[in-house]
Amino acid sequence: MENCFKFALVASLCIVIHFAQASRCPLSEQDQWKEFRNSCYFFSETSTTWQSAKESCEENGSHLVDILSRGENEFIHQRLNTYRYSEDYYIGATDRQHEGYFVWESTRSALGYKNWNVGEPNQHLGTPENCAEIKTDNGKWNDVPCDIVMRFICKRPVSRE
Ligand code: 2F8
Ligand code: CA
């Protein structure tokens, strides 16, 4: 019986180690990291300002998400719909440095692929709106004031070791 218990313990440990090694994205209790095309995406469950979201991504070895293709946008949009939150999420696009000229914060490069909602970006009613969000309902982007608190999405390459 004792041997049986030891065997079960070792087998369980082996399974845990196997899955830990097989994962190319970080593991988290709430399963917030998801893999798509060699990148890992973190979908936050807490809400904060854009600057604080940026710092939070950097603290976990990632950056606020840059969305570079329609396929990537669709992956993110589908994932947001699985969460059933009606909230929108910060992404890494900003025109904080030059009004009207949006860049991806991680690389400071101009947006290539774009998916703005109709009429956006617009600095609604003259309010400074220098940070971008992705809308959960339609996957489109909107510029909003950077001090609004909302959930956010981080991105980093998969681990290769
Ligand atoms: O109608 C578009 C407009 O909708 C909102 O303002 C009423 C958005 N503001 C926030 O989400 C804070 C605007 O950014 C958006 O342009
Ligand atoms: Ca706007």
Side-chain angles (χ1 to χ4, degrees), residues 33-81:
W33 285 98
K34 299 292 168 192
E35 183 174 337
F36 176 73
R37 290 188 189 159
N38 289 330
S39 292
C40 301
Y41 299 80
F42 175 87
F43 295 85
S44 82
E45 289 188 353
T46 54
S47 300
T48 190
T49 63
W50 189 91
Q51 176 66 30
S52 164
K54 168 180 144 41
E55 288 164 11
S56 180
C57 290
E58 288 166 358
E59 277 159 23
N60 66 28
S62 60
H63 55 80
L64 267 176
V65 67
D66 48 358
I67 305 177
L68 307 179
S69 68
R70 192 169 72 162
E72 188 174 20
N73 202 80
E74 277 171 10
F75 158 74
I76 291 169
H77 181 213
Q78 280 172 13
R79 181 112 302 274
L80 297 188
N81 280 324

Side-chain angles (χ1 to χ4, degrees), residues 58-142:
E58 288 166 358
E59 277 159 23
N60 66 28
S62 60
H63 55 80
L64 267 176
V65 67
D66 48 358
I67 305 177
L68 307 179
S69 68
R70 192 169 72 162
E72 188 174 20
N73 202 80
E74 277 171 10
F75 158 74
I76 291 169
H77 181 213
Q78 280 172 13
R79 181 112 302 274
L80 297 188
N81 280 324
T82 68
Y83 295 139
R84 300 203 194 110
Y85 301 132
S86 56
E87 278 188 44
D88 303 327
Y89 284 64
Y90 273 130
I91 60 175
T94 177
D95 69 344
R96 292 192 303 175
Q97 308 294 333
H98 302 286
E99 176 51 41
Y101 182 73
F102 274 84
V103 297
W104 292 116
E105 175 71 14
S106 56
T107 54
R108 298 288 168 94
S109 53
L111 310 187
Y113 167 76
K114 295 174 192 158
N115 197 30
W116 293 114
N117 210 4
V118 176
E120 308 295 347
N122 66 351
Q123 300 239 89
H124 187 64
L125 299 179
T127 309
E129 294 192 317
N130 299 331
C131 292
E133 63 172 8
I134 182 167
K135 296 170 67 60
T136 291
D137 57 356
N138 63 3
K140 296 282 183 180
W141 307 347
N142 172 37

